[in-house]
Each structure stands twice: as structure tokens, then as C-alpha cells.
Amino acid sequence: MSNGAGAGPITLRVEFSGLCFYMIHDPERNTADPEDRNRGMAKKFAILMPDARKTRHPVHADGYAGDPHVGYVRFDLANLDLGDTGVAPGIVEDDVGRPRNEIIHRFDGEVLDFGLGDGQVDVKYDLGLPSFNKFADTLRPIDRLFDAAPPSDLLMRTVLSDGEISATGSGKIWALRDKLNGKPNADPYANQFAGYSVWNRTLQDPRLTVTIRKFDGTAVARIPLKAVPVRGLDGDVKSMITIKVANLCSDNPLEWRDDFAVRTVDKEDKDFKWLYRLMEPQKALRTDYATLLGQSQLPYPEQLGVQAFGDEDCIGGSFTTPTPF
Amino acid sequence: MSPFSGSSAAVPQSGDDWAIEQTHFTSASAMPGMTNRPVALIDVGDGNGGLDHPLLRDRTTYVEMRLKRTPIEGYQLHGAHAAEVAGVIAQRCDAKLIVYDIGTTAGWDEELFVLALQDIINRDPRPAVVNISVGWGQEVPGAAALIRDCIEKYGISVVVAMGDDGAFTDIDWYPATQSGVIAVAGTDTNDLPLADSDTGKHVWIAAPGQDIITVVAKDELGTRNGTSFAAAQVSAAVWHAMRSNSGLTPAKIKQALGDSAVNGQADKLPHGLREKVQDTGWNIAVGKGRLDVAKFLDDVVGVVRSQPVVVKLADSQPTTPPGDFTVPPSPRSPDSQAPRL
């Protein structure tokens, strides 16, 4: 084929990295079970980004300031379906990789639409990410996150359909305090948490148009993409479209790790506090963050004990609900 | 059989893996084998599917240590660290792997660490090497004597990661600090000390610890950084040596690893760091230098590949070699004992 894609199924591979809030509608899952893993089949699976840019007020609900982040979507120029660009695709590895030629769109209150039918098919998920249900069960997502005029704290949202999304933690054990739980945890909420997730979906059509538009539907940008042969670290060559969606510290946010040091979380991930901008205390509690917290800080991943082995990117968080959203 | 042949098509091809090439692991593929004692890993996490990767699936035994104690403190730890470390070893040797998961959501468990060491000692066959890519800020009660027994009584080399909280910190990680173990630091793609690798007077050797290709999920390879993965490479090298010459003691192996290491990393450091490291053939950043498997195996096994020699098998081995294994028994030549400074 002239576009370089071979016959057979195409893999759409999207990495979500950093400050992402995963909203999951899964009526089958019992999040109250202490042995429950953050996995299942989601009727709806949405990923939202808090606006953590330097233009936002940096002080969190606990009175501490957060570092700025930038949210963006990155395409590999080799995937751009605008004739033969002559560029080779980047390496694909666990965290999608390092294309030499990148197309970046910085989010600014937008919907990312993969053009695959929002939420029409269940999404299999297995997320090694902190679950707000486990350590902050007094909270709920703020209203109107999926409206045409959502709260200003929302930078980006997207809804997945079909495929499998997974996030695997490694190395250090991170724990989150239970200050925002209705009742204290009997055991610490801790695990090896991940700094990114990867969504893989099989496509039959080697062409895909990704759309970025404002929440109100205006200012539409259409990105035509095509699958190209990509060689993975395992030596296998697959026809792929690779995309990275990230909300990362404004210190080497593109993670050009061949060129600069990549910032990783060390001992604590206070950037996690940005995620609380998309949450609020349950209305029935008639309270606010300040009352719930007292003098405490918003819970964030803290290294459990003294450990020196394994680092992560900024860690995202998830919220699972049996109620459709 | 090539050390890579048991790994199916998922093994990186030559030219892909800078660490394998730099340390000359490819030369180990020509090494004849005699014994096949396993490699034990004391690590954390259930692999999160990674232990089912084709590189690991058919040769790895997973031991969930959490179940060996009641009452259980904490839940099972879900994460890939153990599989990531195992994946580094699996790409470099054919060894059977025994993965002890001592992690729980309450922490890296000291008591389970001790239980794992006891289990390793009681195994038949005993592992040739134990890889420990975890650590504590203080000595774990009951562990020191078991580690000493592993090394001195049972011929099990103990390879330990130095830790990754950076150079010149106050913390020295245990069991990297214990006498007799092989404490491993990391190097980067420029063959310089890895920025986050711990330093200390207990470090013995270094190995690549940057962009190390390994298993990261059930059907996926990725790259990882840190001394956890540097240690895994040294463990694989030790396994090759033990497979070819089962009479080697951990002390001899350790000495040979150091003597064969490529030195000079400290000379390449910028002024300021160079003076702190004070390289005199050994230094606090990389110890005796960076792993070189080809030199190590040549020295420790004394292989003359063009003139293989059939060796007398060790007592514990079958009287008839399985197949036509041919291994030269000669120890290293006397002059090769001299440190390479």
C-alpha cells in the first residue's frame, strides 16, 4: 500500500501520561472490596485533564501551591495522512516512544475525539492507578464535566470506545492518606502505581481522523492519520497509529529523554493534588475541602517507607461509578 | 543452546540493545553449559501479567511469599517490578527463574525477605545466584546470617542493587552493604556512572542501568532505568559462570567480576565529581568498573573456545553429561588474577 500500512488489522495505540483523571462507569465492580483491583469492563470510559497551566490559580484547596503542567496531544508526523512525508516513525515501546518528528497540539478547553464512536463499545481496563473510591470516598466528580460549557478547571476530555487500557505500576510502593475517606482505611491504601496508561485498540481501516474541538463544538481541527509499519522493541513490525496524550510538568513536558533529563516523582507526588480540581465533596455531606481536611493536606501519593528502587511520572487517578455519566 | 534461544521471537535483535552489546553478553551464547541451577529473585510485585510474557512464561516460578505468613499484613502488591527485573535476566541467559514476591501493600516485608532466603537455601537444586533488587535503610533482622550462609556454605552468589536515590546520599541500602554480596551500581549510555545510582564504599561493580530493554507487560517490552536492572545483568553473568564451572565459589566469582570489569569511568567524570570519586582502581561510584561478560567468562572459566575440553563433572552432576557438553576446567591463569587498574 502506498501509505506504508500492510494488510491486516491496525493497532491504534494511545498513551495517557501524567495528570489524567480516569472516569469509569462500571456497574459490575465492587470498589468497596479491599481486594478489588482497579480492573473490569467499563460501560463508559472517559479521561479528563485538570487545567494545571501556569495561567491557573496555583493554590490548591489545602492552601499549598502546585507546579504548572502542560496538557497536549502528540502525533508522529509519520502517521500524518498528507502524502509521503518521507519520515520514519518513532520507536514504539511501553510509553509510546520517541518520534523524531512530532506534531503537538496544546489543549485549551477541548474535546479529543478519536472518531471511533464515543463510548459505544465497552472498554476493558486494568489500571494500576490510585482509585479515589479507595482513599477519598467522600468525593465525587464536579458537575457538568461533559457539558458544552464545563467548569474552567477542565482542560480536556475524551471518551474511549472498545479496546483495552492498562497502567502498570513498578518499583516503589506509594500510599495515600485516608483523610478524605468517610471512615479510615483499616489498611493503608498502597500499591505500585503507574505514571501512564496505554490504550490499545484494533482497527480495520488504516486511516483515522482525530478531531480536536472546543467544548462547545467550535474551532474544529481534523488530523488525518494513517497507519505505518512500526517496529517495536521486540522486533515485531505492526501497522500502527501512535498517539500520546499527556499532562506533564512544564519541565521537559515532551519527555525528550534522549536530550534532557526526564522529571520523575521522588518520594512524593504533590502534583497529584491538581486532580482534586475535578472532584468535590459529595453534596449530601454539605461540607467543603477545608472542613474535611482540617489542617491536613490533600492526599497525594507518598513513598511508603524508605525505598530507592523505581521512579514514576506524575501519577493520575481514577473514579469508578455504577451510575452512568 | 544459545542463551537467547529459549526466548522466542521476543528477544531484541543484535544492534537493538546497547547494554547487551556493551557488556558483551552476546559472547556468552557460545559458552558451553554443564549445570543448570536456577536464578532466584527476591523482588516485589506480582508482575501484573509480565510474568506471562513469552520470555518468562515457561521458565519462571512465582512464589507469593505473602501467603506464607499469618496474619497477613497488607494486600498483594500489584506491579511489574519483579517481572521487569526477571526480563533482564531472561534476555541474557537460559536460567530457570524463581521469583519471590516479598511486597505487600504494607511495604517491602522484612520477615518475608528472611523467609525467602530460607526457602532459597532449602531448595533443591539450590539457585546459583540470588538477585536482590530491593533494599532497606537498615539491616533486616535475621537476614545477615542467611546471606552469609548462602555465600559461604551453600555456594550461592548474592547480587544486590545499590539503590537509586542518587550519589553521595547518607543512606546506604541493605543488603547491598553486607560483606560478601556483589553490590551493583549503574552506568549510563556514555559509560559514566548513572546519575541516580547510589555510591558507597560497599559497591563492587557496575552494569548498564539506563534504557534497559525488558518485559513491562504480558506481551510487551519496554525500557527501564536503575540499579535494579544493572544488578540483574550481573546475576545473569554469574549464572553463566556457574553453569560452565560449577566448582566456582561466590568469592572467586566476585573477585573475577571485579578483576575483569572495564575501569576508567571515573576518569571521564567532570572535575568536581572526579575528585569526589577518587578512582584508584576502585571507586565509590562504580566499584571496580563496569561489567564485561566476555572478559569475565574468559577469566573465570578459562574457556579456549577453539579447543574445548571435556571436563569431569561435579559430584552433584549426572555421571554422563546430557549431550555433548564440553567445558574446559582450567581456572584463570595466575596473571589474570591481577586487578585491571
Side-chain angles (χ1 to χ4, degrees):
Chain A
M1 298 174 68
S2 61
N3 66 1
I10 306 301
T11 300
L12 169 65
R13 178 187 179 83
V14 185
E15 174 197 348
F16 295 92
S17 183
L19 291 180
C20 294
F21 179 56
Y22 299 74
M23 273 188 72
I24 304 161
H25 169 42
D26 182 354
E28 301 296 321
R29 202 169 126 215
N30 177 15
T31 57
D33 179 354
E35 289 278 19
D36 162 65
R37 293 183 64 167
N38 203 350
R39 66 190 341 182
M41 290 294 290
K43 298 291 182 192
K44 186 173 182 180
F45 196 106
I47 299 172
L48 306 95
M49 285 182 184
D51 190 345
R53 293 176 291 181
K54 76 170 187 179
T55 50
R56 301 298 296 178
H57 192 289
V59 181
H60 297 306
D62 60 4
Y64 290 84
D67 291 338
H69 286 57
V70 58
Y72 65 86
V73 55
R74 183 199 73 194
F75 305 96
D76 186 334
L77 179 61
N79 283 129
L80 202 65
D81 190 15
L82 290 176
D84 184 6
T85 58
V87 303
I91 301 167
V92 168
E93 48 192 310
D94 54 312
D95 54 356
V96 176
R98 298 161 275 175
R100 279 277 163 216
N101 305 279
E102 305 180 62
I103 304 167
I104 307 292
H105 173 86
R106 286 174 288 129
F107 290 123
D108 182 26
E110 288 155 321
V111 172
L112 176 63
D113 184 350
F114 292 101
L116 297 168
D118 287 356
Q120 290 178 359
V121 181
D122 292 358
V123 176
K124 186 177 181 183
Y125 67 98
D126 184 355
L127 298 177
L129 297 167
S131 167
F132 282 92
N133 307 76
K134 303 282 193 185
F135 69 91
D137 64 5
T138 59
L139 304 185
R140 62 185 290 279
I142 56 177
D143 290 333
R144 301 185 293 108
L145 284 172
F146 294 91
D147 284 5
S152 60
D153 277 316
L154 182 65
L155 180 68
M156 185 283 300
R157 71 171 181 245
T158 188
V159 178
L160 310 186
S161 183
D162 205 356
E164 181 171 353
I165 184 166
S166 61
T168 303
S170 173
K172 290 175 180 170
I173 305 173
W174 303 95
L176 290 107
R177 298 173 192 266
D178 58 7
K179 188 65 184 174
L180 295 175
N181 246 12
K183 57 180 181 181
N185 283 329
D187 295 294
Y189 179 61
N191 223 319
Q192 292 179 316
F193 292 127
Y196 66 90
S197 65
V198 177
W199 176 48
N200 280 301
R201 181 181 157 157
T202 301
L203 308 174
Q204 297 306 319
D205 189 340
R207 288 184 163 79
L208 176 73
T209 298
V210 173
T211 303
I212 303 164
R213 58 176 177 272
K214 292 289 187 184
F215 290 131
D216 64 6
T218 61
V220 176
R222 295 183 185 85
I223 316 293
L225 302 172
K226 65 185 179 188
V228 293
V230 175
R231 184 167 177 266
L233 288 176
D234 58 5
D236 289 350
V237 177
K238 296 178 184 172
S239 287
M240 300 183 79
I241 296 172
T242 62
I243 299 171
K244 177 173 182 171
V245 182
N247 195 12
L248 292 169
C249 313
S250 52
D251 177 7
N252 190 13
L254 296 178
E255 297 191 307
W256 289 354
R257 66 187 194 199
D258 295 338
D259 310 286
F260 303 110
V262 173
R263 178 173 157 174
T264 55
V265 175
D266 182 25
K267 295 184 176 60
E268 57 189 22
D269 180 17
K270 290 193 173 180
D271 294 333
F272 186 84
K273 292 182 181 182
W274 283 104
L275 297 174
Y276 292 96
R277 307 263 177 134
L278 302 182
M279 305 282 280
E280 64 184 1
Q282 292 175 22
K283 295 190 186 312
L285 297 175
R286 297 177 186 279
T287 187
D288 56 20
Y289 274 125
T291 306
L292 286 171
L293 289 170
Q295 298 300 309
S296 299
Q297 292 191 51
L298 290 161
Y300 54 88
E302 298 175 77
Q303 187 179 301
L304 190 64
V306 184
Q307 307 170 46
F309 303 83
D311 287 328
E312 278 295 351
D313 273 342
C314 302
I315 295 169
S318 72
F319 176 80
T320 303
T321 174
T323 310
F325 55 82
Chain B
M1 189 163 73
S2 155
F4 305 123
S5 61
S7 307
S8 79
V11 174
Q13 303 301 302
S14 176
D16 283 351
D17 193 320
W18 76 272
I20 284 179
E21 292 200 355
Q22 186 191 61
T23 54
H24 301 125
F25 254 106
T26 44
S27 70
S29 64
M31 295 296 293
M34 187 168 64
T35 67
N36 198 6
R37 291 164 63 186
V39 174
L41 297 85
I42 303 180
D43 216 284
V44 293
D46 61 354
N48 208 37
L51 294 173
D52 281 333
H53 188 282
L55 268 172
L56 300 174
R57 188 170 48 220
D58 296 329
R59 61 155 110 172
T60 304
T61 302
Y62 171 73
V63 185
E64 187 183 345
M65 295 300 294
R66 191 179 71 101
L67 302 179
K68 294 191 181 298
R69 192 187 64 195
T70 53
I72 296 167
E73 184 185 357
Y75 298 101
Q76 186 177 12
L77 198 64
H78 302 305
H81 191 265
E84 291 167 357
V85 174
V88 174
I89 298 173
Q91 288 176 85
R92 288 162 175 80
C93 70
D94 277 338
K96 297 277 186 188
L97 306 176
I98 305 164
V99 175
Y100 292 89
D101 176 9
I102 62 163
T104 78
T105 56
W108 303 0
D109 195 285
E110 296 185 0
E111 188 180 336
L112 295 182
F113 178 58
V114 171
L115 288 172
L117 288 168
Q118 289 171 341
D119 194 78
I120 285 166
I121 286 172
N122 293 326
R123 275 199 175 260
D124 184 19
R126 288 197 183 94
V129 54
V130 183
N131 185 92
I132 303 173
S133 287
V134 296
W136 291 265
Q138 66 291 319
E139 184 175 318
V140 173
L146 291 168
I147 290 174
R148 192 165 51 244
D149 285 351
C150 281
I151 297 167
E152 296 176 3
K153 275 190 184 174
Y154 302 114
I156 304 170
S157 293
V158 179
V159 178
V160 190
M162 281 289 289
D164 304 307
D165 57 351
F168 312 115
T169 57
D170 292 334
I171 299 175
D172 285 337
W173 296 96
Y174 181 84
T177 49
Q178 179 160 339
S179 174
V181 308
I182 301 164
V184 183
T187 50
D188 66 14
T189 51
N190 291 311
D191 207 19
L192 289 168
L194 190 64
D196 288 337
S197 180
D198 280 37
T199 55
K201 58 187 178 185
H202 53 290
V203 63
W204 182 249
I205 192 171
Q210 185 177 43
D211 290 345
I212 304 302
I213 296 175
T214 189
V215 169
V216 297
K218 182 177 180 181
D219 52 4
E220 190 157 307
L221 298 179
T223 56
R224 290 291 180 263
N225 299 308
T227 57
S228 293
F229 312 104
Q233 294 170 69
V234 173
S235 290
V238 171
W239 181 86
H240 278 293
M242 286 296 290
R243 187 178 72 149
S244 300
N245 185 349
S246 61
L248 290 167
T249 64
K252 283 183 179 173
I253 288 172
K254 179 176 177 178
Q255 189 61 46
L257 276 168
D259 291 348
S260 60
V262 177
N263 205 307
Q265 288 82 7
D267 294 337
K268 294 187 279 186
L269 287 170
H271 284 299
L273 272 180
R274 193 186 304 177
E275 289 73 17
K276 278 187 175 181
V277 166
Q278 290 187 343
D279 194 354
T280 56
W282 173 96
N283 66 69
I284 60 172
V286 297
K288 301 273 281 182
R290 189 252 307 143
L291 174 70
D292 186 321
V293 177
K295 284 185 184 174
F296 167 59
L297 293 178
D298 274 347
D299 287 358
V300 82
V301 185
V303 169
V304 182
R305 292 191 177 84
S306 59
Q307 295 178 317
V309 180
V310 178
V311 297
K312 182 181 174 184
L313 294 171
D315 293 341
S316 59
Q317 301 308 309
T319 52
T320 305
D324 56 352
F325 290 143
T326 51
V327 182
S330 58
R332 302 166 58 228
S333 59
D335 60 357
S336 67
Q337 298 283 347
R340 296 176 183 183
L341 304 180

XYZ file of all heavy atoms in Angstrom, chain B residues 212-279:
498
model
N 17.267 0.173 29.721
C 17.462 -1.272 29.659
C 16.171 -1.925 29.161
O 15.110 -1.771 29.764
C 17.848 -1.837 31.038
C 19.088 -1.119 31.572
C 18.064 -3.345 30.954
C 20.301 -1.206 30.677
N 16.281 -2.646 28.077
C 15.101 -3.278 27.489
C 14.683 -4.467 28.353
O 15.500 -5.319 28.699
C 15.395 -3.748 26.054
C 15.707 -2.535 25.159
C 14.208 -4.530 25.489
C 16.134 -2.898 23.756
N 13.411 -4.509 28.669
C 12.926 -5.615 29.477
C 11.416 -5.785 29.302
O 10.758 -5.031 28.590
C 13.279 -5.423 30.962
O 12.978 -6.633 31.669
C 12.511 -4.271 31.580
N 10.909 -6.790 29.964
C 9.473 -7.061 29.953
C 8.765 -5.993 30.792
O 9.163 -5.717 31.917
C 9.210 -8.447 30.572
C 7.728 -8.654 30.820
C 9.778 -9.535 29.678
N 7.731 -5.399 30.238
C 6.966 -4.430 31.027
C 5.491 -4.802 31.113
O 4.748 -4.208 31.893
C 7.098 -3.002 30.462
C 8.537 -2.529 30.539
C 6.584 -2.913 29.038
N 5.068 -5.755 30.331
C 3.674 -6.200 30.382
C 3.607 -7.597 29.773
O 4.618 -8.132 29.328
C 2.763 -5.245 29.637
N 2.428 -8.157 29.767
C 2.255 -9.535 29.337
C 2.807 -9.786 27.934
O 3.368 -10.834 27.659
C 0.773 -9.894 29.381
C 0.474 -11.322 28.996
C -1.001 -11.613 29.128
C -1.309 -13.056 28.733
N -2.741 -13.361 28.836
N 2.633 -8.834 27.054
C 3.058 -9.044 25.674
C 3.878 -7.871 25.169
O 3.802 -7.505 24.014
C 1.839 -9.276 24.778
C 0.803 -8.184 24.958
O 1.086 -7.232 25.712
O -0.275 -8.279 24.354
N 4.667 -7.308 26.058
C 5.326 -6.084 25.647
C 6.685 -5.899 26.299
O 6.879 -6.195 27.480
C 4.437 -4.912 26.036
C 4.885 -3.604 25.456
C 3.726 -2.629 25.384
O 2.681 -2.990 24.807
O 3.873 -1.539 25.913
N 7.606 -5.404 25.490
C 8.897 -4.973 26.013
C 8.923 -3.459 26.101
O 8.249 -2.772 25.343
C 10.032 -5.441 25.097
C 10.212 -6.945 24.919
C 11.378 -7.203 23.961
C 10.481 -7.629 26.246
N 9.704 -2.953 27.021
C 9.888 -1.512 27.148
C 11.274 -1.262 27.705
O 12.121 -2.161 27.712
N 11.520 -0.076 28.158
C 12.816 0.225 28.759
C 12.634 0.703 30.195
O 11.637 1.333 30.532
C 13.567 1.309 27.957
O 12.747 2.464 27.859
C 13.929 0.815 26.575
N 13.604 0.389 31.011
C 13.582 0.796 32.403
C 14.969 1.297 32.809
O 15.972 0.935 32.180
C 13.170 -0.383 33.305
C 11.712 -0.773 33.163
C 10.803 0.298 33.738
N 9.388 -0.032 33.620
C 8.586 0.404 32.657
N 9.076 1.159 31.688
N 7.305 0.093 32.639
N 15.012 2.055 33.872
C 16.265 2.623 34.369
C 16.471 2.242 35.827
O 15.499 2.087 36.568
C 16.223 4.154 34.281
C 16.048 4.651 32.864
O 16.786 4.260 31.972
N 15.053 5.483 32.653
N 17.735 2.142 36.210
C 18.021 1.966 37.624
C 18.935 0.799 37.922
O 19.203 -0.062 37.076
N 19.411 0.774 39.147
C 20.351 -0.266 39.543
C 19.681 -1.634 39.680
O 20.361 -2.656 39.675
C 21.037 0.100 40.870
O 20.045 0.310 41.883
C 21.873 1.359 40.726
N 18.347 -1.656 39.791
C 17.643 -2.940 39.793
C 18.014 -3.739 38.548
O 18.208 -4.962 38.609
C 16.127 -2.728 39.788
O 15.684 -2.146 40.983
N 18.107 -3.038 37.436
C 18.328 -3.708 36.156
C 19.814 -3.914 35.890
O 20.199 -4.817 35.152
C 17.615 -2.918 35.062
C 16.201 -2.593 35.490
C 15.854 -1.327 35.921
C 15.257 -3.603 35.573
C 14.573 -1.060 36.392
C 13.980 -3.346 36.046
C 13.627 -2.074 36.450
N 20.636 -3.093 36.510
C 22.077 -3.323 36.458
C 22.420 -4.614 37.205
O 23.174 -5.461 36.721
C 22.814 -2.130 37.072
N 21.830 -4.762 38.380
C 22.091 -5.973 39.170
C 21.663 -7.219 38.410
O 22.348 -8.254 38.437
C 21.358 -5.876 40.509
N 20.537 -7.135 37.728
C 20.031 -8.304 37.002
C 21.035 -8.779 35.957
O 21.177 -9.988 35.715
C 18.697 -7.956 36.345
N 21.744 -7.851 35.345
C 22.734 -8.246 34.332
C 23.913 -8.967 34.976
O 24.442 -9.934 34.426
C 23.201 -7.004 33.573
C 22.074 -6.391 32.757
C 22.445 -5.036 32.191
O 23.292 -4.943 31.306
N 21.826 -3.989 32.702
N 24.323 -8.495 36.122
C 25.415 -9.171 36.824
C 24.961 -10.576 37.253
O 25.723 -11.543 37.170
C 25.883 -8.325 38.025
C 26.905 -9.088 38.859
C 26.472 -7.005 37.537
N 23.722 -10.681 37.682
C 23.208 -12.009 38.069
C 23.256 -12.973 36.892
O 23.612 -14.147 37.044
C 21.773 -11.882 38.588
O 21.758 -11.225 39.837
N 22.885 -12.483 35.717
C 22.929 -13.348 34.533
C 24.363 -13.759 34.222
O 24.627 -14.917 33.858
C 22.303 -12.627 33.346
N 25.294 -12.838 34.381
C 26.700 -13.163 34.128
C 27.193 -14.222 35.114
O 27.897 -15.171 34.737
C 27.547 -11.893 34.246
N 26.809 -14.080 36.365
C 27.206 -15.063 37.384
C 26.634 -16.435 37.034
O 27.302 -17.466 37.170
C 26.732 -14.602 38.782
C 26.932 -15.713 39.814
C 27.481 -13.341 39.205
N 25.409 -16.447 36.571
C 24.787 -17.730 36.205
C 25.579 -18.412 35.094
O 25.807 -19.616 35.136
C 23.343 -17.501 35.757
C 22.642 -18.772 35.383
C 21.991 -19.631 36.223
C 22.564 -19.353 34.079
N 21.497 -20.705 35.512
C 21.835 -20.557 34.197
C 23.025 -18.972 32.825
C 21.556 -21.379 33.107
C 22.754 -19.784 31.737
C 22.026 -20.976 31.878
N 26.006 -17.643 34.096
C 26.798 -18.234 33.014
C 28.075 -18.857 33.560
O 28.483 -19.951 33.145
C 27.154 -17.165 31.974
C 26.056 -16.900 30.993
N 25.639 -17.822 30.059
C 25.279 -15.810 30.822
C 24.656 -17.309 29.335
N 24.404 -16.096 29.783
N 28.702 -18.159 34.468
C 29.947 -18.678 35.037
C 29.692 -19.975 35.802
O 30.422 -20.959 35.651
C 30.573 -17.631 35.948
N 28.646 -19.970 36.604
C 28.343 -21.158 37.401
C 27.915 -22.323 36.527
O 28.179 -23.482 36.826
C 27.242 -20.833 38.412
C 27.708 -19.979 39.569
S 28.932 -20.824 40.593
C 27.914 -22.093 41.360
N 27.233 -22.027 35.463
C 26.805 -23.104 34.571
C 28.021 -23.772 33.941
O 28.053 -24.975 33.733
C 25.895 -22.562 33.466
C 25.300 -23.674 32.622
C 24.366 -23.154 31.569
N 25.073 -22.486 30.492
C 24.652 -22.460 29.231
N 23.525 -23.082 28.911
N 25.312 -21.829 28.300
N 29.016 -22.996 33.651
C 30.173 -23.539 32.963
C 31.202 -24.138 33.896
O 32.016 -24.948 33.482
C 30.836 -22.433 32.130
O 29.926 -21.947 31.190
N 31.186 -23.696 35.119
C 32.144 -24.228 36.082
C 31.480 -24.234 37.460
O 31.562 -23.261 38.206
C 33.418 -23.382 36.091
C 34.487 -23.980 36.999
O 34.218 -24.913 37.777
N 35.690 -23.441 36.907
N 30.847 -25.322 37.770
C 30.048 -25.373 38.996
C 30.922 -25.377 40.242
O 30.418 -25.233 41.355
C 29.157 -26.617 38.989
O 29.967 -27.779 38.939
N 32.235 -25.530 40.069
C 33.112 -25.524 41.231
C 33.494 -24.138 41.708
O 34.165 -23.992 42.731
N 33.069 -23.133 40.984
C 33.419 -21.773 41.387
C 32.731 -21.399 42.687
O 31.563 -21.726 42.898
C 32.992 -20.786 40.295
C 33.784 -20.841 38.998
C 33.054 -20.064 37.913
C 35.186 -20.299 39.212
N 33.438 -20.704 43.519
C 32.826 -20.217 44.754
C 32.337 -18.782 44.534
O 32.859 -18.065 43.668
C 33.841 -20.199 45.906
O 34.871 -19.254 45.587
C 34.432 -21.585 46.121
N 31.378 -18.347 45.316
C 30.935 -16.959 45.193
C 32.075 -15.961 45.369
O 32.100 -14.926 44.697
C 29.895 -16.839 46.307
C 29.317 -18.212 46.430
C 30.496 -19.126 46.215
N 33.016 -16.283 46.235
C 34.136 -15.358 46.437
C 34.980 -15.239 45.175
O 35.407 -14.143 44.791
C 34.986 -15.833 47.613
N 35.233 -16.389 44.533
C 36.021 -16.345 43.293
C 35.274 -15.594 42.204
O 35.859 -14.840 41.421
C 36.323 -17.778 42.818
C 37.431 -18.462 43.585
C 37.686 -19.842 42.990
C 38.813 -20.542 43.738
N 38.970 -21.953 43.283
N 33.985 -15.849 42.142
C 33.184 -15.163 41.127
C 33.207 -13.662 41.355
O 33.401 -12.875 40.423
C 31.735 -15.703 41.153
C 31.708 -17.116 40.575
C 30.782 -14.785 40.394
C 30.378 -17.814 40.728
N 33.038 -13.289 42.579
C 33.032 -11.849 42.884
C 34.367 -11.218 42.508
O 34.407 -10.150 41.886
C 32.736 -11.639 44.376
C 32.745 -10.178 44.784
C 32.358 -9.986 46.241
C 32.452 -8.502 46.627
N 32.037 -8.264 48.013
N 35.434 -11.883 42.889
C 36.748 -11.339 42.579
C 36.952 -11.224 41.076
O 37.451 -10.210 40.563
C 37.847 -12.224 43.189
C 39.243 -11.614 43.112
C 39.336 -10.291 43.874
O 38.866 -10.187 45.005
N 39.911 -9.268 43.238
N 36.549 -12.249 40.361
C 36.735 -12.239 38.910
C 35.871 -11.187 38.230
O 36.288 -10.571 37.244
C 36.417 -13.622 38.348
N 34.683 -10.989 38.742
C 33.836 -9.921 38.192
C 34.543 -8.576 38.306
O 34.569 -7.778 37.362
C 32.505 -9.850 38.950
C 31.397 -10.792 38.523
C 30.275 -10.792 39.567
C 30.834 -10.416 37.154
N 35.112 -8.344 39.469
C 35.813 -7.083 39.683
C 37.064 -6.976 38.836
O 37.325 -5.939 38.222
N 37.824 -8.055 38.775
C 39.084 -8.019 38.039
C 38.874 -7.845 36.537
O 39.739 -7.311 35.833
C 39.876 -9.305 38.289
C 40.384 -9.400 39.721
O 40.321 -8.376 40.437
O 40.822 -10.495 40.119
N 37.766 -8.325 36.052
C 37.524 -8.259 34.608
C 36.735 -7.016 34.202
O 36.507 -6.781 33.016
C 36.760 -9.512 34.154
O 35.516 -9.605 34.831
N 36.314 -6.239 35.172
C 35.465 -5.081 34.856
C 36.247 -4.020 34.093
O 37.457 -3.878 34.252
C 34.907 -4.488 36.139
N 35.532 -3.294 33.272
C 36.141 -2.206 32.493
C 36.187 -0.958 33.359
O 35.145 -0.447 33.778
C 35.322 -1.927 31.223
C 35.902 -0.744 30.457
C 35.273 -3.175 30.354
N 37.367 -0.506 33.619
C 37.522 0.636 34.513
C 37.705 1.921 33.706
O 37.811 1.890 32.502
C 38.726 0.402 35.444
C 38.583 1.187 36.723
O 38.368 2.378 36.685
N 38.688 0.513 37.850
N 37.738 2.995 34.382
C 38.013 4.276 33.724
C 36.830 5.215 33.701
O 36.934 6.343 33.235
N 35.682 4.746 34.193
C 34.503 5.620 34.181
C 34.760 6.910 34.961
O 34.358 7.992 34.555
C 33.293 4.902 34.794
C 32.711 3.809 33.933
C 33.482 2.513 34.066
O 34.379 2.389 34.891
N 33.139 1.540 33.245
N 35.428 6.777 36.083
C 35.624 7.942 36.932
C 36.507 8.981 36.254
O 36.346 10.184 36.468
C 36.235 7.512 38.264
N 37.425 8.513 35.401
C 38.301 9.457 34.703
C 37.518 10.339 33.751
O 37.984 11.409 33.357
C 39.372 8.687 33.908
C 40.316 7.935 34.834
O 40.420 8.341 36.006
O 40.929 6.956 34.383
N 36.355 9.874 33.361
C 35.567 10.638 32.394
C 34.607 11.609 33.074
O 33.888 12.343 32.409
C 34.782 9.677 31.495
C 35.678 8.834 30.598
C 34.891 8.007 29.601
C 34.353 6.752 30.214
N 33.703 5.841 29.252
N 34.586 11.570 34.387
C 33.698 12.474 35.112
C 34.244 13.902 35.070
O 35.455 14.101 34.960
C 33.573 12.030 36.577
C 32.738 10.783 36.829
C 32.906 10.322 38.267
C 31.269 11.044 36.524
N 33.374 14.883 35.169
C 33.854 16.259 35.188
C 34.578 16.557 36.500
O 34.366 15.876 37.512
C 32.566 17.083 35.075
C 31.497 16.189 35.594
C 31.910 14.804 35.235
N 35.420 17.567 36.451
C 36.075 17.997 37.676
C 35.027 18.348 38.720
O 33.984 18.896 38.416
C 36.982 19.211 37.404
C 38.256 18.831 36.722
N 39.178 17.983 37.283
C 38.753 19.151 35.511
C 40.193 17.812 36.463
N 39.957 18.503 35.365
N 35.337 18.066 39.915
C 34.362 18.243 40.989
C 33.882 16.875 41.409
O 34.154 16.414 42.515
N 33.221 16.188 40.475
C 32.806 14.815 40.757
C 34.013 13.885 40.760
O 34.122 12.990 41.581
C 31.807 14.340 39.696
C 30.332 14.631 39.945
C 29.497 14.104 38.797
C 29.878 13.990 41.259
N 34.906 14.120 39.801
C 36.056 13.222 39.668
C 36.861 13.175 40.967
O 37.287 12.122 41.421
C 36.942 13.700 38.520
C 37.981 12.695 38.086
C 38.924 13.282 37.052
N 38.235 13.819 35.882
C 38.849 14.434 34.878
N 40.165 14.569 34.886
N 38.172 14.902 33.858
N 37.032 14.336 41.556
C 37.807 14.395 42.790
C 37.062 13.707 43.936
O 37.669 13.073 44.800
C 38.114 15.846 43.159
C 39.128 16.523 42.245
C 38.566 16.866 40.870
O 37.320 16.879 40.720
O 39.342 17.085 39.928
N 35.740 13.803 43.927
C 34.964 13.140 44.978
C 35.049 11.626 44.860
O 35.085 10.902 45.852
C 33.488 13.553 44.880
C 33.141 14.878 45.514
C 31.629 15.067 45.487
C 31.222 16.325 46.221
N 29.764 16.516 46.221
N 35.059 11.165 43.625
C 35.034 9.717 43.404
C 36.387 9.082 43.709
O 36.457 7.959 44.205
C 34.585 9.424 41.949
C 34.865 7.993 41.560
C 33.094 9.722 41.810
N 37.457 9.824 43.399
C 38.812 9.367 43.731
C 39.084 7.934 43.269
O 39.175 7.004 44.067
C 39.046 9.456 45.243
C 39.143 10.880 45.747
C 39.528 10.947 47.197
O 39.435 9.968 47.925
N 39.974 12.104 47.636
N 39.218 7.793 41.987
C 39.433 6.460 41.417
C 40.873 5.993 41.630
O 41.815 6.653 41.230
C 39.133 6.503 39.922
C 39.014 5.105 39.357
O 39.284 4.146 40.097
O 38.639 4.978 38.194
